[in-house]
Amino acid sequence: MSQPTQSSEQRRAYYRLMTLEVAPLSCFVPVQGDEVEIDLVDLSVGGLGILGYMPGLLLRPGVKYRGVRIELPKLGTLVADIEIRDVYDITLRNGIRTTRTGAQFIHLGAPAQNLIQRYILEAERERLAKSKP
């Protein structure tokens, strides 16, 4: 596994919501007639981030998954195709080594982009409201 490249950092053109800081968010990846549930670390109009090893999923750059489902609380369900872009090892603050995976949405239409943007705005509003004294 490799470190993220500078070009991958430069590709980020969208605001990323750190889902672990606001509300847990999962996605469901169809694999051989079943679904694998994955906890997301972040979400943007450009893609999503995954933390940890996922048994049953091939997490390598270039691998594509079709029909990934993300339940966005209070707003609805997003169904999209993704492509794995970056996979690298990291060490968490508690010393545990794990894997960080970044995936890009493939041909995400305007309605789906709007749904993600609305979710991010709502989550940020809630986070800010909770942080006020």
Side-chain angles (χ1 to χ4, degrees):
M1 294 193 209
S2 62
Q3 290 295 321
T5 61
Q6 186 174 14
S7 62
S8 69
E9 295 293 325
Q10 292 170 342
R11 269 197 312 265
R12 287 194 186 110
Y14 304 105
Y15 176 78
R16 289 185 306 156
L17 175 71
M18 304 308 288
T19 57
L20 296 178
E21 294 175 7
V22 289
L25 195 60
S26 297
C27 74
F28 301 87
V29 181
V31 179
Q32 299 173 351
D34 201 7
E35 281 187 328
V36 176
E37 182 176 359
I38 300 172
D39 293 330
L40 300 182
V41 221
D42 64 58
L43 177 68
S44 78
V45 172
L48 51 88
I50 302 166
L51 189 63
Y53 300 99
M54 299 299 131
L57 286 182
L58 181 60
L59 297 177
R60 289 203 182 112
V63 173
K64 296 177 183 173
Y65 288 100
R66 308 226 178 268
V68 173
R69 182 172 50 90
I70 303 172
E71 299 292 336
L72 300 173
K74 302 178 189 172
L75 293 177
T77 302
L78 169 72
V79 179
D81 300 337
I82 62 170
E83 178 180 351
I84 306 300
R85 302 293 292 183
D86 294 309
V87 180
Y88 51 93
D89 291 329
I90 63 168
T91 302
L92 302 175
R93 290 181 190 161
N94 60 9
I96 294 175
R97 291 205 37 91
T98 189
T99 298
R100 171 76 163 84
T101 304
Q104 178 179 6
F105 289 119
I106 302 171
H107 307 297
L108 194 63
Q113 290 179 24
N114 290 337
L115 186 64
I116 293 171
Q117 288 171 334
R118 284 184 26 226
Y119 177 76
I120 290 171
L121 286 172
E122 282 299 314
E124 283 296 327
R125 278 190 199 121
E126 288 179 22
R127 184 185 63 80
L128 289 172
K130 288 179 185 176
S131 67
K132 288 184 180 179

